Amino acid sequence: MPDVTVWAPLAESVEAVLGDERRALTRAGEHWTIDLPVGTDYLLSVDGGEPRPDPRSPRQPHGVHGPSRVWDAAGFRWSDTEWAGREVLGGVFYELHVGTFTPEGTLDGAIERLPHLVELGVDTVELMPVVPFPGERGWGYDGVSWHAVHESYGGPEALQRFVDAAHGLGLAVCLDVVHNHFGPAGNYAAVFGPYFTIKHHTPWGAAINLDDDHAEGVRAFIVDNAVRWLRDFHLDALRLDAVHALIDDSPRHVLSEMADAVASLGRELGRPLTLIAESDLNDVTMVTPTAEGGLGMDGQWADDVHHALHSWLTGETFGYYVGFGAPETLAHAFERVFVHDGSHSTFRDTAWGAPVPDDVDRRRFVTFTQNHDQVGNRGLGDRPDERLPAGAVAGGAALLLLGPFTPMLFQGQEWGTQRPFRFFSDHEPDLGSLISAGRMREFADHGWGEIYGPDADIVDPQDPAAFEASVLDWDEPTQEAHAAMLAWHRTLIGLRREHFGRGIDAPRHPVSTRHGDDWFALTHGPLTVVAAPRAGAEVSCPGELVARFGEVEHAADGTLSLDSASVAVVRSASGT
């Protein structure tokens, strides 16, 4: 019989409310426990107060406000006993949102599309957050039950089935988790203990308590959550959302504590486990081992590379793209990772970041031309494919997939879908109206009117149409233009595997860049990508032309002639 354990350090009593029945929990230090049969629905009452869901609830079948349900993670029969794990950094990631990836909007529906990802050449599937959130539609970043899985996705057993199926096809799985705040609806954590502190503030209000009184219990809650996902759901990696909002002035940062706990679990399980942080600090300390005084993350997202590439391709230089757009900036990103590595950031109006030393493996940095943020947080949720010619998009894909970093694709990107990915939510009306109003303010603040015009029709995130427009159309890949883009991505991933391997253990290769009027060349080991998104170009590039998109000619003397919106990949004569 599983035990229910809740951290409530200041409580005088805690009771489990089972319908009309109440049962007292037993105190064990700062925790309270009770044994309940699997399948039992319950709420918890602290000091006789209003019964609330369990903060550690493993299942929320009745929504974020309803009773929790006892669930046994050990009840699932795994078939992945031969899965030895994988060093995911250096391979190809693919980010998806369960609710919009398929028409079914479930984890079981996503399983049916995993063979497509295998054929594409994906190594790791990254799931956007799956924890319970209000209503039926949402991105998942406003979850409250950090240990549970959203019921409309299929609940916790469905996540286990998904991971088991992915491993059976040779795919690793990374889960996006949020530890920097609780969502606004169903947030009852403060009823149980001091989960928050007013010492620090975040965009969501009072910060998660990592360094105030009783912080040890909150830190343990976060670290245990990471360990549980990796252990009980056989996940291979976690993406940690916006860790710069985990404000921690303790002698040892909670991320360092988590890194060591996950490393210990990896040794116990005998397979590699990976932590990837989203951080805007531009500080290599994030990926420095804990033994060397760092925070111990294995990898981190590198937004600067995205901004430099997107801005160069599109010409967008407003909002947080200010300071990007020049080919020299793109070259700096490919060669040095962080554009702001101690230089002045115009957007932040201060000096920002620090250099990345040459000996830090560039595969520790996850890069992308699309992801949920960079598409979904645009005013209309529009993809680059909607505004750029296919050849320009293909050039961006080549620079991404054949570059020195760990590349990540976003769902549907591989076939050039023009379906948007919008911000959507399903809050109750009062809260929903606040979310909608906030979204309109963000639109104005980011300057999206420069490309959409002042009268753009911004879809209300509470409108079901925002969600419905974001669901992928799986008939698209069979259409001629989409099939060509899909074939291009498969070609690029094949070249990546052939020359750079599938993991961080493969040898590193030198990187260099050059550029001219409206063209950019990236040389990574034996391969050179030459992209000309806006105008034709002639570039000296001796070697073998191994891939092209658009009109490209390669003369015997090594001169590449590219029409506008075209890209070529050339392999050096030595092939090394």
Side-chain angles (χ1 to χ4, degrees):
M1 184 181 296
D3 75 286
V4 172
T5 299
V6 63
W7 179 67
L10 306 180
E12 296 295 327
S13 67
V14 180
E15 294 177 305
V17 180
L18 315 173
D20 295 332
E21 181 186 2
R22 288 177 175 252
R23 297 185 193 175
L25 276 69
T26 300
R27 184 163 204 156
E30 292 191 339
H31 292 80
W32 301 76
T33 66
I34 189 173
D35 290 337
L36 294 174
V38 172
T40 301
D41 286 356
Y42 67 99
L43 293 165
L44 296 173
S45 171
V46 176
D47 295 335
E50 185 73 22
R52 298 300 187 190
D54 182 354
R56 294 180 66 97
S57 170
R59 189 162 190 178
Q60 285 296 119
H62 308 291
V64 297
H65 302 287
S68 303
R69 178 171 292 173
V70 180
W71 178 75
D72 183 9
F76 184 75
R77 292 191 175 186
W78 292 91
S79 64
D80 68 347
T81 53
E82 300 301 315
W83 177 253
R86 172 177 296 153
E87 294 287 355
V88 299
L89 294 172
V92 176
F93 275 64
Y94 186 99
E95 184 186 30
L96 68 86
H97 173 266
V98 173
T100 57
F101 183 57
T102 67
E104 297 83 4
T106 64
L107 285 155
D108 287 332
I111 288 173
E112 298 302 312
R113 297 296 180 177
L114 290 179
H116 165 82
L117 302 186
V118 174
E119 293 171 8
L120 175 61
V122 168
D123 296 301
T124 300
V125 183
E126 180 170 318
L127 301 175
M128 287 174 62
V130 298
V131 298
F133 52 81
E136 297 298 312
R137 308 177 303 275
W139 280 15
Y141 294 93
D142 52 1
V144 287
S145 298
W146 290 0
H147 287 62
V149 176
H150 194 56
E151 284 295 311
S152 69
Y153 290 171
E157 295 98 336
L159 179 58
Q160 291 179 318
R161 289 194 297 271
F162 181 89
V163 176
D164 199 43
H167 287 171
L169 293 172
L171 293 167
V173 183
C174 174
L175 179 65
D176 196 340
V177 295
V178 181
H179 294 139
N180 50 41
H181 75 288
F182 291 89
N187 178 7
Y188 303 112
V191 170
F192 295 89
Y195 280 85
F196 304 97
T197 174
I198 59 173
K199 283 178 60 176
H200 311 292
H201 291 273
T202 72
W204 306 281
I208 297 292
N209 177 18
L210 301 174
D211 56 9
D212 207 344
D213 293 342
H214 298 284
E216 295 82 2
V218 183
R219 297 168 69 92
F221 181 76
I222 291 173
V223 173
D224 290 349
N225 177 257
V227 167
R228 177 179 178 274
W229 286 123
L230 295 164
R231 181 192 63 228
D232 294 352
F233 293 86
H234 291 203
L235 290 159
D236 303 284
L238 298 177
R239 182 261 191 189
L240 310 177
D241 182 65
V243 298
H244 45 270
L246 291 171
I247 307 173
D248 185 3
D249 291 337
S250 304
R252 188 183 189 206
H253 198 284
V254 68
L255 290 178
S256 175
E257 189 176 334
M258 181 190 296
D260 286 348
V262 167
S264 177
L265 177 66
R267 291 190 293 269
E268 176 189 334
L269 298 177
R271 59 185 176 91
L273 302 173
T274 304
L275 295 175
I276 301 171
E278 180 198 22
S279 170
D280 76 348
L281 300 178
N282 286 16
D283 189 343
V284 76
T285 302
M286 188 64 62
V287 295
T288 301
T290 59
E292 299 174 20
L295 296 179
M297 298 293 99
D298 301 289
Q300 76 160 84
W301 280 22
D303 279 355
D304 275 15
V305 178
H306 166 271
H307 296 351
L309 182 51
H310 177 88
S311 188
W312 179 72
L313 287 170
T314 65
E316 294 177 8
T317 56
F318 55 85
Y320 53 68
Y321 293 131
V322 65
F324 294 91
E328 293 83 2
T329 305
L330 182 57
H332 189 100
F334 273 112
E335 296 176 7
R336 309 302 304 167
V337 187
F338 298 145
V339 171
H340 297 301
D341 55 5
S343 62
H344 181 80
S345 167
T346 303
F347 180 69
R348 300 178 179 91
D349 194 25
T350 188
W352 199 258
V356 177
D358 291 337
D359 63 349
V360 176
D361 197 314
R362 272 33 181 177
R363 290 168 293 192
R364 295 199 178 279
F365 300 94
V366 178
T367 58
F368 29 79
T369 54
Q370 298 183 33
N371 66 24
H372 73 274
D373 274 331
Q374 303 305 336
V375 176
N377 284 328
R378 292 175 65 82
L380 297 180
D382 51 309
R383 310 249 190 171
D385 308 74
E386 188 173 335
R387 297 179 178 276
L388 293 176
V393 173
L399 291 167
L400 170 72
L401 289 166
L402 299 180
F405 310 112
T406 293
M408 186 178 76
L409 301 174
F410 183 54
Q411 61 179 39
Q413 172 180 357
E414 69 273 23
W415 67 73
T417 186
Q418 293 186 18
R419 291 185 70 82
F421 183 77
R422 291 177 173 150
F423 181 72
F424 43 81
S425 58
D426 190 21
H427 291 287
E428 295 175 356
D430 288 347
L431 179 56
S433 64
L434 296 176
I435 298 293
S436 299
R439 199 64 179 175
M440 294 305 296
R441 286 195 299 273
E442 287 181 17
F443 175 82
D445 292 344
H446 281 282
W448 295 117
E450 288 197 24
I451 58 172
Y452 303 134
D455 301 320
D457 184 16
I458 307 302
V459 178
D460 184 344
Q462 287 284 106
D463 186 339
F467 170 83
E468 293 160 1
S470 303
V471 177
L472 289 182
D473 178 359
W474 283 90
D475 289 332
E476 285 184 341
T478 64
Q479 300 166 13
E480 183 177 358
H482 292 302
M485 187 62 76
L486 178 57
W488 176 244
H489 279 79
R490 287 174 175 163
T491 295
L492 295 173
I493 293 173
L495 287 169
R496 180 180 181 86
R497 283 190 178 180
E498 178 184 354
H499 294 284
F500 307 132
R502 298 176 65 180
I504 201 166
D505 293 334
R508 291 180 64 184
H509 296 271
V511 173
S512 62
T513 63
R514 53 198 172 108
H515 53 82
D517 294 336
D518 288 325
W519 63 268
F520 187 90
L522 166 71
T523 298
H524 179 206
L527 299 182
T528 296
V529 176
V530 183
R534 285 173 293 275
E538 287 196 354
V539 181
S540 176
C541 196
E544 176 191 3
L545 180 64
V546 293
R548 74 182 86 187
F549 195 104
E551 296 298 321
V552 176
E553 293 183 1
H554 197 210
D557 66 357
T559 300
L560 267 178
S561 298
L562 302 95
D563 279 0
S564 62
S566 60
V567 55
V569 182
V570 175
R571 179 165 48 210
S572 65
S574 64
T576 59

